[in-house]
Amino acid sequence: MAWGLLVVAGLFEVVMAYSLKMSAGFSHLWWSVGFFVFSVLSFGLLSLALKSLEVGTAYAVWTGIGAVGTALLGIALLGDNASLLKTISIVFIILGVIGLNLAGGAAH
C-alpha cells in the first residue's frame, strides 16, 4: 500500500509542477490554487508512505517520478526540448527508481 501511495504522491508532484508553471508566478488564481492543493496532496501522501518506507528510498522514488513525469509533460504539452541527452537522462532516472524499488525500502 505504501508504494501505491508513493506513486500517487509522485504523480501529484507532476501536476503540482505543471500548475506552478501555468500559474505564471502565481498571477493566475486557479493555477495557483491548483499548485497549493496538489502540493498538500503530494506531501501528505509522501508522509503516509514514509510510515513504512525508508526515507532515502521513498524520497528518491518520489522525486524520480516527479522529475520524469514533469520532463515528459514539458515535452508533450509545453514544447520543451526532447534532445537525445535529455531522453537518455530520463531513462537513467527510471532505471535508478527501479533499482531503488528492487533494493527494498521497507523501514526497519
Side-chain angles (χ1 to χ4, degrees):
M1 169 129 168
W3 284 106
L5 292 173
L6 189 59
V7 168
V8 174
L11 295 174
F12 282 152
E13 184 187 4
V14 173
V15 179
M16 175 190 75
Y18 184 72
S19 297
L20 182 61
K21 170 70 174 173
M22 300 307 291
S23 77
F26 298 113
S27 63
H28 294 103
L29 175 65
W30 293 113
W31 285 111
S32 301
V33 169
F35 165 76
F36 288 110
V37 167
F38 286 105
S39 295
V40 170
L41 290 171
S42 182
F43 281 103
L45 291 177
L46 173 62
S47 72
L48 292 175
L50 287 173
K51 289 182 176 183
S52 59
L53 297 175
E54 293 177 350
V55 67
T57 300
Y59 188 76
V61 169
W62 177 71
T63 57
I65 292 168
V68 168
T70 302
L72 293 176
L73 191 95
I75 292 167
L77 299 180
L78 301 173
D80 289 357
N81 179 4
S83 69
L84 179 60
L85 181 57
K86 184 181 279 189
T87 303
I88 291 169
S89 299
I90 289 170
V91 169
F92 278 129
I93 294 170
I94 292 168
L95 292 174
V97 168
I98 291 169
L100 286 168
N101 198 344
L102 293 175
H108 299 286

